[in-house]
Each structure stands twice: as structure tokens, then as C-alpha cells.
């Protein structure tokens, strides 16, 4: 299928680091899944829902949101999840969650 870009031994829907002959589910700054999914969604702008393929958003939402626990939220990586939620048609829910974000997440790594 057209989705089979990488060898069947690679079991993830996203790549953190891509070399000429290797893919890696990780980033230079950590291997938490929320890093790998979150970095794919930067920058988060109004055009993001046009940039990000809807089928990819559907596949990525669950593993990304399930990997996002306390550290993910405190570091600001949960903001991208709200963008995915809105793209999936849940704009009101995403906005409700966005209104509850603390200002400190906007000064952290994510």
C-alpha cells in the first residue's frame, strides 16, 4: 500500500529521526512517545489542519494522547494534542481544555 514507506519491521506510524538508511522512534532530546509525535506537529499554526493529513491525525491521536501524562502536560507537549482534537472535529472540547492550560506550559520545552 502507499502507507508502507518503511520496512515492515518498523512498527510505528511516525519517525522521530530519519537517516539515509535508518529510521528511529526517538528524538535527539528523548525517547518519550509524546516527544516523537509532538515534534511532528510543530509549528502549530492555523494552517496545521491543512498541513496534517486527516488519516495520519486519526492514527496518531490515540498513541500520542495515551503517552501524554504529567511530564508531557507540564512541559507543554499536550498543546499539540488539542490541535489534533480540533482537527478531528472536536473544536469545542479542544477549546475547553485550552482554556484550562496554565501559562507555565508556554515557557517550557514543548
Amino acid at each position: 500500500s502507499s502507507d508502507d514507506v518503511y520496512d515492515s519491521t518498523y512498527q510505528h506510524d511516525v519517525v522521530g529521526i530519519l537517516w539515509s538508511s535508518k529510521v528511529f522512534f526517538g528524538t535527539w532530546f528523548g525517547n518519550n512517545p509524546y516527544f516523537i509525535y509532538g515534534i511532528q506537529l510543530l509549528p502549530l499554526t492555523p494552517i496545521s489542519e491543512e498541513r496534517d493529513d486527516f488519516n495520519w491525525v486519526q492514527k496518531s491521536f490515540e498513541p500520542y494522547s495515551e503517552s501524554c501524562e504529567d511530564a508531557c502536560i507540564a512541559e507543554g507537549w499536550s498543546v499539540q494534542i488539542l490541535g489534533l482534537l480540533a482537527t478531528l472535529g472536536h473544536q469545542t472540547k479542544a477549546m475547553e481544555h485550552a482554556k484550562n492550560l496554565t501559562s507555565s506550559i508556554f515557557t517550557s520545552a514543548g
Side-chain angles (χ1 to χ4, degrees), residues 1-72:
S1 88
S2 61
D3 292 336
D4 297 330
V5 175
Y6 303 107
D7 186 271
S8 63
T9 58
Y10 189 76
Q11 299 296 310
H12 305 282
D13 292 323
V14 65
V15 171
I17 301 174
L18 176 65
W19 284 279
S20 62
S21 62
K22 180 180 177 180
V23 293
F24 181 64
F25 190 72
T27 67
W28 295 110
F29 48 89
N31 294 331
N32 295 318
Y34 63 84
F35 289 153
I36 297 113
Y37 284 96
I39 199 74
Q40 301 300 318
L41 296 163
L42 293 177
L44 188 61
T45 68
I47 199 68
S48 296
E49 64 185 326
E50 294 295 323
R51 174 198 65 200
D52 303 328
D53 178 72
F54 188 79
N55 291 328
W56 182 84
V57 170
Q58 285 180 307
K59 284 197 271 186
S60 299
F61 179 78
E62 187 174 336
Y64 185 12
S65 60
E66 286 178 357
S67 74
C68 191
E69 296 177 354
D70 293 341
C72 169

Side-chain angles (χ1 to χ4, degrees), residues 82-102:
L82 300 180
L84 293 180
L85 192 60
T87 300
L88 292 171
H90 305 286
Q91 295 89 348
T92 302
K93 188 175 182 179
M95 184 58 74
E96 289 171 6
H97 287 288
K99 288 178 181 178
N100 292 323
L101 295 172
T102 63

